[in-house]
Amino acid sequence: MPEPYHHVRFRWWTSVDLDRLVSEYGGQYNAEKRAHPKDDVELTLYKDQRDEVTLRADTLSVAASAVRAVLFQREAKPFTGRDLALRKLIFDLYDKTTLTPFPWGGLSEPRYEVEETG
């Protein structure tokens, strides 16, 4: 494997409940929530969507916000069973490969290897 895995997924129309993500999967994966500062006088549409949860399996980590998830590895290694389960969870929650509903500009998933068992 030449490069570490890195892939971005999105969700449209509804947001992922990050507190629920931590409560349901925090025991299965190392979970850490980071709440970013907010100000009442900010002029931004996404003020309430800045918080982020990091989930870590064995070699795969995810930085998840309300509408975007970044799956990544620090080092290129084959995925373990826990990595594959985390990947599936994120693909189920964040089911789009682009932020917009247009058919162009989607991100293709990079290749990855799976650890041999046995």
Side-chain angles (χ1 to χ4, degrees):
M1 288 181 61
E3 293 184 24
Y5 180 89
H6 184 272
H7 186 56
V8 181
R9 303 288 294 188
F10 298 95
R11 181 175 176 129
W12 299 347
W13 316 123
T14 60
S15 300
V16 170
D17 183 342
L18 297 179
D19 291 325
R20 184 174 171 207
L21 187 63
V22 170
S23 68
E24 288 185 13
Y25 299 99
Q28 211 170 342
Y29 305 106
N30 295 342
E32 177 184 326
K33 183 173 181 190
R34 282 180 263 161
H36 294 281
K38 298 171 181 73
D39 187 344
D40 289 338
V41 294
E42 290 182 73
L43 295 174
T44 180
L45 297 174
Y46 305 106
K47 171 171 56 173
D48 297 327
Q49 296 181 349
R50 285 192 196 144
D51 295 346
E52 186 175 86
V53 169
T54 303
L55 298 170
R56 290 183 186 88
D58 297 320
T59 71
L60 183 66
S61 297
V62 176
S65 69
V67 296
R68 181 183 74 160
V70 180
L71 297 91
F72 65 95
Q73 289 180 309
R74 298 214 183 269
E75 248 181 89
K77 291 186 178 181
F79 282 8
T80 65
R82 285 183 69 222
D83 294 332
L84 290 172
L86 178 58
R87 178 190 165 277
K88 181 182 180 337
L89 168 69
I90 297 303
F91 272 57
D92 288 346
L93 290 173
Y94 300 86
D95 58 342
K96 308 291 188 266
T97 59
T98 178
L99 186 57
T100 65
F102 302 114
W104 56 85
L107 304 169
S108 60
E109 182 181 17
R111 293 176 50 137
Y112 60 90
E113 294 178 11
V114 177
E115 182 178 75
E116 292 183 27
T117 57

